[in-house]
Amino acid sequence: MTDELDPPVRDLADIPAVEVISRAAVMLMSSAAEKLGLAGEDPDSGAGVDLDEARRVITALAGLVTASVEYLGPHAGPIREGLQALQRAFREASSVPDAPGMGPGEKYTGPVH
């Protein structure tokens, strides 16, 4: 017997690749925002900021987006914009910003200013 409030479980084989990639990108974006301290009630407080972890997640996101952009169709633009916003937020949060082209994920996306 299933609970009517539980959403139906989908077989991973039935989920289109674009949806899997988009969901992974959104999860990475959310993680990066958390690690940059952007998701808290007071983003200016600096609580929960972990720039080392944010760098890793943003770089992983950049690699995913770069490798899969041809498959994302209309989703590519918003995901790229989100990635660039996170890269700029990282630069702003850093006490010593990386040189252009050396920030998280910029080896995949090119310099973000």
Side-chain angles (χ1 to χ4, degrees):
M1 185 162 138
T2 63
D3 187 346
E4 291 181 23
L5 298 177
D6 288 337
V9 176
R10 293 170 60 189
D11 188 346
L12 194 54
D14 296 333
I15 301 173
V18 67
E19 188 175 336
V20 174
I21 295 166
S22 297
R23 284 184 182 187
V26 168
M27 184 173 12
L28 290 167
M29 286 181 184
S30 297
S31 176
E34 288 281 343
K35 293 178 186 324
L36 288 170
L38 301 175
E41 289 183 27
D42 183 9
D44 295 326
S45 72
V49 174
D50 187 338
L51 293 181
D52 187 48
E53 286 287 306
R55 177 182 296 278
R56 294 172 188 187
V57 176
I58 293 169
T59 299
L61 174 62
L64 174 66
V65 171
T66 301
S68 59
V69 71
E70 68 182 286
Y71 308 116
L72 293 174
H75 303 282
I79 292 173
R80 277 183 154 165
E81 290 170 11
L83 169 59
Q84 290 172 351
L86 290 166
Q87 289 172 310
R88 285 191 296 274
F90 182 92
R91 184 171 301 282
E92 290 174 13
S94 298
S95 58
V96 180
D98 296 313
M102 302 304 292
E106 290 183 2
K107 70 180 181 181
Y108 301 114
T109 64
V112 175
H113 304 281

